[in-house]
Amino acid sequence: RLADGLDNCPADRNPSQSDEDNDAIGDACDQDFYKNFALLADSNGNNAPEVAGLQIDADLNIQVQINDANTGSFLRNLAFLNQDWNAKEVLSINEGLASPSVAVRAERIDDGTPIIQIKNSATGNLIKNVFPWSSNWKLVDTALVPDLAIGGPAIATLARRRVDGVMGVELRDPMDGSRINIIYPLGATWTPHQLDVVPDINGDPAIAVLATRNSDGLTIVQVRNAVTGDLIRNVYPLGLNFTPHEMRIIPDVDGDGVWDTAVRMTRDSDGLELIQVRNTVTQDLIKNTYPIGAGGRGWSTQRFQALHQNGQDRIAILSTRDSDDAMLVQIKDPATGNLIKNNWLIGSPWALQQGYQVVSDFTGNNTDELAVLTNNKNNGSRIIQIREGETNAVIRNVFQPN
């Protein structure tokens, strides 16, 4: 199974269960817990990003609340789909459209039809309803592929066909909804888990799909040219008997000019955890980095992200302490595995509520910021806390509706 913050998430469809039961389990496991909020480019002229938080109102309509990341001030609510749809994620499109835009991915409740609704983040005006795939396909993940659409990024959606598990990646133009390309990585004997993008390999962007083989759980990251669909490399992190948690394409570690592949995994026999970094083109091992929770030391690793710090590319690993839910981001060097800095986040009674992002530097100290969605265990209130990645100082607590 893919460990996605939820217990009992299967790696494949159970043939003894109905399609409805399999899809119900898939719906729960698809609540990917780092996509409840997104960071938008500045639209009000203060040179700070904006926080777009996914919300469901009292009538079960889907909304996005937008706040200024620097001041925390409320800017506007954007109304998206109604109660006939289940929200899956919110994402930002900061290039290629008339202004910064926000998109919500959802599925229609009665038939599973997927949609990506895109709106202007400043005015709330509808830009486009994009319909990737059809109700015959279950969407797994979404990413933006640079420079493939008219004047900007294409929306890539990783999906599996409900009837037989065949996987595919479809690329569409967010301006007119037209299909740019469709790619079929691997086949029905593999289960897809995650999608990411390599910005440039030999002049073209590439897509990377994290998947596991149904027969034995072998993990693969398959990398294909986003323009031609041609196979570039099958990257195999570790071997059998490891469970994958997440995959990231991170800035170039080994100096060959291509972004590298990082996969966080745990060893099934003893829970040893590591983030393995490999060259995306050659699949050569670069480094194994061990989070604070490796081997069950009283911490649980939640997510990791790429982070830019003082001219160097790092990884920022979010962990929670098992005893009291304390939150810690360890910044480590992906080339050496060395610890650079421990950043403690908001403490008790606040606990992680399925949300973590690295924010491009907007304070001017050449280091990215950290943002985490939390909830108060006493009263259920929620905030997105934004901290300096270098000094660990709190920039702003952005309050979210309960």
Side-chain angles (χ1 to χ4, degrees), residues 118-307:
I118 307 169
K119 292 199 170 187
N120 183 300
S121 65
T123 66
N125 292 337
L126 177 67
I127 293 176
K128 193 65 182 178
N129 286 327
V130 176
F131 292 94
W133 302 102
S134 70
S135 59
N136 297 324
W137 293 77
K138 176 73 174 177
L139 264 62
V140 177
D141 201 7
T142 311
L144 298 176
V145 183
D147 303 323
L148 278 193
I150 299 172
I155 297 177
T157 50
L158 171 65
R160 60 169 175 80
R161 194 159 54 201
R162 295 180 189 273
V163 66
D164 59 7
V166 167
M167 74 175 78
V169 176
E170 186 182 64
L171 296 98
R172 286 185 178 265
D173 191 317
M175 283 298 292
D176 61 14
S178 62
R179 177 185 287 177
I180 298 170
N181 197 8
I182 189 168
I183 300 168
Y184 292 98
L186 300 164
T189 59
W190 296 79
T191 295
H193 298 304
Q194 196 175 348
L195 176 68
D196 209 344
V197 174
V198 188
D200 184 355
I201 298 181
N202 298 323
D204 285 334
I207 59 165
V209 174
L210 174 69
T212 50
R213 191 162 58 194
N214 299 340
S215 60
D216 57 9
L218 179 69
T219 298
I220 190 175
V221 177
Q222 185 169 95
V223 184
R224 287 184 174 268
N225 186 298
V227 177
T228 67
D230 292 341
L231 176 66
I232 295 172
R233 171 62 64 180
N234 287 328
V235 178
Y236 294 94
L238 298 168
L240 298 175
N241 304 315
F242 279 81
T243 296
H245 294 255
E246 58 181 326
M247 173 262 298
R248 296 279 181 273
I249 301 299
I250 64 174
D252 180 29
V253 175
D254 57 0
D256 71 341
V258 177
W259 286 38
D260 294 305
T261 300
V263 179
R264 180 169 66 89
M265 308 182 76
T266 39
R267 189 163 57 196
D268 297 337
S269 60
D270 59 5
L272 177 69
E273 187 171 54
L274 74 160
I275 298 170
Q276 185 169 95
V277 182
R278 286 184 176 267
N279 185 293
T280 299
V281 175
T282 68
Q283 111 155 314
D284 291 342
L285 175 65
I286 297 173
K287 192 65 184 178
N288 289 329
T289 295
Y290 297 89
I292 189 173
R297 298 172 184 167
W299 291 83
S300 297
T301 307
Q302 303 295 341
R303 281 286 186 246
F304 77 96
Q305 298 276 349
L307 178 139

